[in-house]
Amino acid sequence: RLAEWDLSLTELERKVDISLLEETDRERSRILHRVAALPTAGVKRTGGTDFATRTDLARPGETWSLRWTPETDASLIEASALGGTLEEAATGHLARRIEKAERDAEEAALTLLSAAQMGLLHKATQLLPALGELLDAESDFVRLTRALGHLLYLWRYDEALGALGGTEPRLLLERAYTRGLWLLATVIEGDDAIIKGLAGLVEVARRDESLDREALGATLAMVASDDNRAPALRGAAAGGLWSLGNSSADLLGLVRRFGAPDALGDFLHGVFTLAREAIRRDPALLIALDEVLMHWDDEEFLAALPPLRLAFAKFPPREKHHIAVSLLEAMEGSDASPMLDLLINPEDAAEAMAIEAKLFSLWEKYIGAF
């Protein structure tokens, strides 16, 4: 098969560049992925698009190093235990990989990704039961949603591997989505990995209308209203509901409930991760945020400032400016003055505010009384 596709191994090292958008090169890549997975000494992928992270999909391609070594034939003989043909041996490798994975949904999805790279999705049907069992056994929400991301890419976005619209990714996607809903109901914490996972779950529901959106909406509503869960997680759930079409009224009510300085910033961080446009489209949200902040004293505001800055860091400068202008326009009848450019960095401004607050407090205590 290597000779058939001009990929023969010789004693001199050979570099092969492949463009995955060209059908002939794609088939050559599949052959090489099968050979390398066995594994075969002398066949090594040295560079190219990483489909697991999907950070470089603009021009999908690969670079391979090919060279015959004394160990090459021995490794092929050993791999023949997996099957008598290259396709059979590669499929056997995938089956063995699934057997070694224990309750790891992401490994299940990555195995399907490898099958796509080898051009063996048509063989994945016999692997689907085992892959599905790995998804069903997953107990970690973050790992499950990472798997969901891989499956969504293969089914909805892939243009380089030939998996777009495939039956196998779609069946596993639905199974992982169902498991993800169950796991979300058990999540309490709200770190960035969990928030990203929740965003991925919502994204899948938005891209595949045949999935049960009502079940997702009910789970998100339960999470958003649960006082025992982390503010960032509740904010993300509220943002998810808004992005799925719920009205801003529910989000507005939650904003007013999160009036504590140690909670609002984290809550908004979650909201803006999934529903950044909400604050731009509904002036009532801006006014509600302003009301909450204006009720804080200086110490409360300074304590809340770091998480608030982190939440609003999701907006580029132009959008921050638009938000500020929108707030001033929404406050009809107020004596709010136009925004001034800040000539120092925010950290220095916060430190200056803290010093001023202490000075005014001392003034009131020792001088203002006279």
Side-chain angles (χ1 to χ4, degrees):
R1 296 303 303 278
L2 289 172
E4 179 184 348
W5 292 95
D6 189 25
L7 298 169
S8 297
L9 307 185
T10 64
E11 293 185 3
L12 293 178
E13 184 180 12
R14 178 184 175 191
K15 297 291 185 183
V16 177
D17 292 320
I18 287 178
S19 171
L20 292 171
L21 295 180
E22 298 179 10
E23 186 58 37
T24 300
D25 268 8
R26 183 184 297 171
E27 191 59 37
R28 298 176 84 206
S29 169
R30 290 169 174 172
I31 297 297
L32 289 172
H33 274 284
R34 295 176 192 178
V35 174
L38 295 180
T40 304
V43 179
K44 184 178 181 181
R45 186 178 185 272
T46 57
T49 303
D50 186 345
F51 288 95
T53 60
R54 298 179 291 282
T55 56
D56 49 358
L57 294 175
R59 301 180 68 180
E62 298 174 333
T63 301
W64 290 82
S65 171
L66 308 180
R67 182 182 183 184
W68 182 89
T69 71
E71 292 79 22
T72 300
D73 292 343
S75 61
L76 287 174
I77 292 171
E78 183 178 352
S80 67
L82 295 171
T85 67
L86 179 57
E87 185 173 292
E88 290 174 356
T91 304
H93 160 78
L94 292 172
R96 180 174 293 183
R97 180 173 169 179
I98 294 172
E99 290 176 2
K100 292 181 179 179
E102 295 183 5
R103 299 184 180 182
D104 192 333
E106 186 175 15
E107 179 61 17
L110 289 173
T111 300
L112 193 70
L113 177 62
S114 294
Q117 289 178 301
M118 296 179 195
L120 294 176
L121 281 181
H122 63 286
K123 290 287 187 178
T125 302
Q126 65 194 65
L127 305 175
L128 284 179
L131 290 171
E133 289 175 5
L134 287 178
L135 295 175
D136 293 342
E138 181 58 77
S139 60
D140 185 275
F141 177 73
V142 172
R143 275 205 306 263
L144 190 283
T145 52
R146 286 174 183 161
L148 205 57
H150 300 317
L151 296 171
L152 178 64
Y153 166 75
L154 287 172
W155 176 70
R156 184 71 170 77
Y157 299 112
D158 173 55
E159 295 181 350
L161 304 178
L164 184 66
T167 301
E168 296 80 9
R170 176 61 182 78
L171 290 173
L172 292 177
L173 181 73
E174 184 174 3
R175 201 156 173 174
Y177 176 80
T178 301
R179 182 63 175 173
L181 290 180
W182 189 89
L183 290 175
L184 176 59
T186 69
V187 175
I188 300 296
E189 302 301 323
D191 58 46
D192 285 344
I194 290 175
I195 301 304
K196 183 178 180 181
L198 193 152
L201 198 62
V202 172
E203 176 69 10
V204 168
R206 294 177 61 190
R207 298 302 175 188
D208 187 348
E209 295 183 356
S210 67
L211 295 174
D212 190 348
R213 281 197 182 190
E214 290 187 7
L216 175 60
T219 303
L220 291 175
M222 181 266 291
V223 171
S225 61
D226 188 349
D227 292 338
N228 294 317
R229 299 177 194 256
L233 177 62
R234 297 179 64 188
L241 286 169
W242 185 88
S243 68
L244 290 174
N246 283 41
S247 70
S248 299
D250 296 334
L251 186 56
L252 181 62
L254 282 170
V255 167
R256 289 185 169 132
R257 286 174 58 186
F258 275 87
D262 60 349
L264 182 61
D266 291 338
F267 174 79
L268 292 177
H269 173 67
V271 171
F272 295 156
T273 299
L274 279 86
R276 204 175 71 179
E277 288 295 312
I279 197 168
R280 294 188 58 183
R281 294 185 186 178
D282 193 342
L285 287 174
L286 279 174
I287 295 175
L289 278 174
D290 182 71
E291 291 173 352
V292 171
L293 268 62
M294 294 304 290
H295 278 88
W296 293 342
D297 60 29
D298 290 341
E299 289 187 5
E300 289 175 325
F301 177 76
L302 291 172
L305 191 56
L308 282 172
R309 285 191 60 210
L310 179 62
F312 279 91
K314 294 188 176 296
F315 298 93
R318 184 182 295 273
E319 288 192 44
K320 291 178 186 176
H321 176 76
H322 176 79
I323 290 171
V325 171
S326 299
L327 176 61
L328 292 175
E329 292 175 349
M331 297 169 63
E332 296 181 3
S334 72
D335 58 354
S337 59
M339 296 292 293
L340 299 176
D341 289 335
L342 189 62
L343 301 179
I344 59 175
N345 63 56
E347 290 80 6
D348 290 342
E351 184 178 358
M353 288 179 62
I355 293 173
E356 288 178 356
K358 292 179 181 179
L359 287 174
F360 284 127
S361 177
L362 291 171
W363 178 278
E364 183 68 25
K365 181 177 180 180
Y366 294 108
I367 299 177
F370 291 96

